Amino acid sequence: MQQEPDIFDRMAAQGAGAQAEQSLSKEELPALVESRIAAHSISRTPPNARQALQFLLAHGWLESATKPKLFNLIAAQTTLLDALLEPLDLRVVVDDVRGLAFLAVVPDYAGDDTDESEQDDWTHPLMKRQRLTLEQSLLLALLRREFLQREQESGTGAVVRVTVDSLLPQLETYLGSTGSDMQERKRLTQLLENLRTHGMVSEVDAQDCITIRPMIVHLLNPENLQTLLLRLRALAEQGGAQGSAGNAEGTP
């Protein structure tokens, strides 16, 4: 008849088993830690891509002339950045020729509003649509036309600078004269400052010139702008004809 192990034998056996289990866990622990570190490293975004993405989210766009390293990085890793932006319904657009990179809403973005009557009020949580006045839209159309004409003459990607004084008669053609040169220049200066905050033009420099930014090509719909210019020109000509007719009727 076998004798049952006493309490001391059972305690010793349990202690030996615990030590064996503990030693086994210690042997497996380094491999487990390494696998977790590797998985964590793979899932982390590279620091340079993170920096580029943060800059785009903060500013919306950048030019190679001012941020060459970031621009080259974005141009080389557009696929990665698009994948990171996918949950936000955003994408990166790169204009290699003009040295421009900017964020845009994905083409199939529908938003949360399914009411077709409110589609004109579409907004993206991170990129709100800007409403422009008639004067702002007109100046944008004139600047875009000037930008494209200069590119045709000097080549795509050329820096386009214009004087402030050269824009005054163009505005007067469509908006009419206020009768005060100082008032017209003040109006133009205010319009340019507003467009500068949207990245369309630079500040007025010491030579009284501005640089038209390449973003203006991508921001504006050319068909709508051409329609706007034609409509304003027709209204200006109609107003001029009515004024001439009124003067003729008042002549004895």
Side-chain angles (χ1 to χ4, degrees):
M1 182 176 180
Q2 294 182 351
Q3 185 177 2
E4 184 178 350
D6 59 18
I7 184 63
F8 298 104
D9 292 335
R10 290 199 299 268
M11 291 177 62
Q14 291 176 357
Q19 290 179 357
E21 183 178 356
Q22 184 177 6
S23 63
L24 181 62
S25 299
K26 288 181 178 179
E27 292 175 357
E28 294 178 348
L29 183 60
L32 179 61
V33 172
E34 289 179 1
S35 64
R36 289 181 177 178
I37 293 176
H40 182 65
S41 300
I42 294 174
S43 63
R44 284 183 60 83
T45 304
N48 54 358
R50 191 182 307 119
Q51 179 186 6
L53 191 61
Q54 290 172 356
F55 188 93
L56 284 175
L57 289 173
H59 301 278
W61 60 280
L62 63 84
E63 296 178 3
S64 60
T66 55
K67 297 287 184 180
K69 292 183 178 180
L70 276 182
F71 175 81
N72 292 333
L73 174 66
I74 292 171
Q77 300 193 16
T78 303
T79 302
L80 172 61
L81 295 177
D82 282 345
L84 295 173
L85 290 168
E86 189 275 335
L88 303 178
D89 287 323
L90 298 176
R91 64 189 179 99
V92 178
V93 179
V94 177
D95 186 339
D96 292 308
V97 179
R98 297 184 177 93
L100 174 69
F102 59 93
L103 289 180
V105 180
V106 295
D108 57 347
Y109 175 75
D112 297 330
D113 184 13
T114 57
D115 186 356
E116 295 182 357
S117 64
E118 298 184 5
Q119 285 184 354
D120 289 340
D121 296 327
W122 169 93
T123 57
H124 186 280
L126 300 177
M127 301 179 68
K128 296 186 180 299
R129 175 175 292 178
Q130 299 293 332
R131 298 290 183 181
L132 300 178
T133 65
L134 176 62
E135 292 181 345
Q136 292 170 350
S137 300
L138 171 61
L139 182 56
L140 278 176
L142 295 174
L143 291 172
R144 186 182 189 278
R145 185 176 64 182
E146 182 71 22
F147 185 88
L148 293 177
Q149 288 177 351
R150 295 287 189 88
E151 278 198 336
Q152 291 178 354
E153 298 171 358
S154 305
T156 304
V159 178
V160 179
R161 298 176 72 249
V162 296
T163 62
V164 175
D165 288 340
S166 67
L167 298 174
L168 286 170
Q170 298 187 57
L171 275 182
E172 184 178 342
T173 300
Y174 295 96
L175 299 179
S177 175
T178 62
S180 170
D181 293 342
M182 182 178 298
Q183 191 68 22
E184 290 180 358
R185 185 176 179 85
K186 180 180 179 181
R187 176 178 63 181
L188 176 58
T189 302
Q190 291 175 344
L191 291 174
L192 289 173
E193 176 60 23
N194 181 270
L195 298 184
R196 185 190 66 81
T197 60
H198 296 297
M200 297 297 101
V201 297
S202 68
E203 293 182 343
V204 180
D205 60 20
Q207 288 75 38
D208 202 33
C209 294
I210 60 168
T211 299
I212 306 177
R213 301 294 190 192
M215 177 64 79
I216 200 169
V217 177
H218 298 275
L219 180 68
L220 304 175
N221 184 298
E223 290 78 13
N224 291 344
L225 291 177
Q226 186 63 24
T227 302
L228 172 65
L229 290 178
L230 293 176
R231 177 59 177 166
L232 288 175
R233 181 179 290 276
L235 290 175
E237 293 175 352
Q238 182 180 357
Q242 291 177 352
S244 300
N247 292 334
E249 292 176 358
T251 303

